[in-house]
């Protein structure tokens, strides 16, 4: 009876606590099973290897919290990588100018999708699906093959690391991810925009009756998601020293999975940005386990699918319990 009462009082916290428990069990089990897993090198890799996914997932978190979905983020990342690589290598642009252009395009693209969704009352799924095809097509229109980036600034930025002890270091991309994580926490949990976001995702009709700026909020979350996707593309170019129109194929599905595993309800209104960070760590830990166990990567995808289904069932159960 006490457990039932606790869930009724704190249904928002249950998914986050479940995510944290899953991560602890995964890390604890892997550390006990494999020598060297509990090292600082592995901990650094958990963040560094999937920094671009984490950045995209932060934008996706706010979209899902508002009750929407954004299927275009993977294509926008691929578009950004080939755009930036082409501008720097073929156009002789400075990296900073290429990044500003890419961020501007990604932000405007997200804002345009948000306006279409809000002004014309179109389903977010269909609008962002169209955005997926449009951005991927534009990426292949720029170049059909990979473009290498050879620029001194890329070398200098990749030399920027943060030691975390034991000889391990967080990469520059990981630092950008963690910086964006703090910014997103601030936006979602400590601003009026964040409160409007939760109210809109919880019940849009009630938010309208309360006089909250629902339209501005919904357009804002898609604009932010577009910015995050383009920033994730820039981080990917730093990670790979190249751009490719085929990069980040279907990454939007990974981003959605990470957000849901992080405890954010697909129906909107419930979830925490720190949960998404935990979701990224779970995602990375599963891949690290398959690497240490010398298992095929397909097993990691199967494990993530099973875990995702478990969280969807948990969300369904919590929705009925409310």
């Amino acid at each position: 009876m006490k457990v039932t009462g606790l869930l009724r009082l704190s249904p928002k916290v249950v998914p986050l606590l479940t995510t944290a428990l899953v991560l602890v069990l995964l890390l604890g089990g892997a550390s006990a099973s494999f020598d060297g897993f509990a090292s600082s090198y592995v901990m650094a890799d958990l963040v560094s290897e999937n920094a671009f996914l984490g950045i995209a997932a932060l934008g996706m978190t706010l979209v899902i919290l508002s009750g929407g979905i954004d299927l275009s983020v993977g294509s926008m990342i691929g578009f950004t990588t080939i755009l930036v690589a082409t501008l720097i290598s073929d156009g002789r642009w400075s990296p900073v100018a290429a990044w500003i252009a890419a961020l501007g395009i990604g932000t405007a693209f997200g804002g345009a999708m948000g306006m279409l969704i809000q002004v014309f009352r179109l389903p977010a799924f269909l609008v962002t699906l169209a955005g997926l095809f449009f951005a991927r097509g534009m990426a292949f229109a720029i170049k059909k093959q990979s473009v290498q980036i050879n620029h001194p600034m890329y070398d200098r930025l990749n030399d920027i690391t943060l030691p975390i002890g034991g000889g391990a270091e967080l990469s520059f991309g990981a630092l950008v991810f963690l910086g964006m994580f703090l910014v997103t926490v601030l936006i979602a949990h400590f601003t009026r925009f964040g409160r409007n976001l939760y109210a809109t995702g919880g019940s849009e009709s009630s938010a309208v009756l309360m006089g909250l700026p629902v339209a501005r909020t919904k357009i804002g979350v898609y604009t932010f998601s577009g910015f995050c996707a383009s920033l994730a593309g820039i981080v990917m170019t730093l990670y790979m020293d190249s751009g490719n129109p085929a990069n980040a194929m279907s990454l939007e599905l990974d981003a959605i999975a990470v957000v849901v595993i992080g405890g954010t309800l697909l129906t909107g209104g419930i979830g925490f940005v720190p949960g998404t960070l935990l979701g990224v760590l779970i995602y990375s830990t599963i891949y690290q386990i398959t690497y240490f166990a010398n298992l095929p990567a397909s097993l990691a995808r199967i494990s993530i699918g099973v875990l995702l289904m478990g969280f969807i069932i948990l969300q369904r159960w919590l929705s009925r319990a409310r």
Side-chain angles (χ1 to χ4, degrees):
M1 293 296 291
K2 290 182 178 179
V3 173
T4 303
L6 178 62
L7 295 183
R8 286 177 179 172
L9 288 173
S10 308
K12 299 177 181 178
V13 180
V14 175
L16 180 62
L17 292 178
T18 305
T19 301
L21 178 62
V22 169
L23 179 60
V24 170
L25 292 175
L26 281 175
L27 288 175
S31 299
S33 303
F34 306 110
D35 292 335
F37 194 95
S39 68
S40 56
Y41 287 101
V42 173
M43 298 302 115
D45 281 348
L46 293 183
V47 181
S48 299
E49 293 294 321
N50 289 293
F52 46 85
L53 170 62
I55 294 170
L58 291 173
M60 186 70 77
T61 302
L62 298 198
V63 171
I64 292 178
L65 279 172
S66 74
I69 198 76
D70 188 352
L71 300 179
S72 70
V73 296
S75 296
M76 179 49 63
I77 292 173
F79 169 80
T80 300
T81 66
I82 192 63
L83 174 68
V84 168
T86 303
L87 290 177
I88 295 174
S89 299
D90 296 352
R92 302 301 176 189
W93 285 38
S94 74
V96 174
W99 297 340
I100 292 174
L103 289 172
I105 293 172
T107 304
F109 185 74
M113 288 194 300
M115 289 187 67
L116 287 172
I117 292 167
Q118 178 60 31
V119 174
F120 296 102
R121 302 293 180 185
L122 297 175
F125 178 88
L126 295 180
V127 172
T128 58
L129 180 63
L132 178 155
F133 284 105
F134 181 82
R136 187 64 70 183
M138 290 299 294
F140 278 100
I142 294 174
K143 287 279 185 181
K144 292 182 174 57
Q145 65 281 341
S146 177
V147 176
Q148 192 69 28
I149 300 175
N150 295 307
H151 195 283
M153 181 175 286
Y154 268 66
D155 297 332
R156 289 196 295 271
L157 289 177
N158 282 325
D159 288 337
I160 297 175
T161 57
L162 178 66
I164 60 172
E169 300 170 329
L170 289 176
S171 67
F172 180 74
L175 297 178
V176 174
F177 169 40
L178 295 177
M180 278 303 298
F181 167 71
L182 295 177
V183 170
T184 311
V185 167
L186 180 66
I187 292 173
H189 302 302
F190 297 100
T191 66
R192 180 176 295 178
F193 178 84
R195 291 191 289 275
N196 294 337
L197 170 67
Y198 276 92
T200 301
S203 174
E204 183 173 337
S205 57
S206 298
V208 171
L209 291 174
M210 292 167 63
L212 298 178
V214 173
R216 192 166 66 214
T217 302
K218 291 179 69 175
I219 294 172
V221 294
Y222 286 97
T223 303
F224 183 73
S225 181
F227 173 83
C228 287
S230 54
L231 180 61
I234 292 170
V235 169
M236 182 176 273
T237 64
L238 287 165
Y239 179 72
M240 304 178 74
D241 281 331
S242 66
N244 192 316
N247 275 341
M249 215 48 106
S250 301
L251 185 136
E252 60 277 356
L253 302 181
D254 295 281
I256 294 170
V258 162
V259 174
V260 173
I261 291 173
T264 299
L265 263 62
L266 278 170
T267 51
I270 293 180
F272 298 92
V273 177
T276 298
L277 175 60
L278 298 179
V280 172
L281 294 177
I282 288 175
Y283 180 96
S284 301
T285 301
I286 290 174
Y287 273 96
Q288 285 288 348
I289 289 174
T290 58
Y291 174 77
F292 270 78
N294 197 25
L295 296 171
S298 58
L299 191 60
R301 306 294 290 182
I302 294 172
S303 302
I304 291 170
V306 172
L307 196 57
L308 179 61
M309 183 56 68
F311 272 88
I312 290 172
I313 293 172
L314 174 64
Q315 290 187 5
R316 183 67 175 172
W317 177 67
L318 288 174
S319 297
R320 289 181 174 178
R322 280 198 292 174

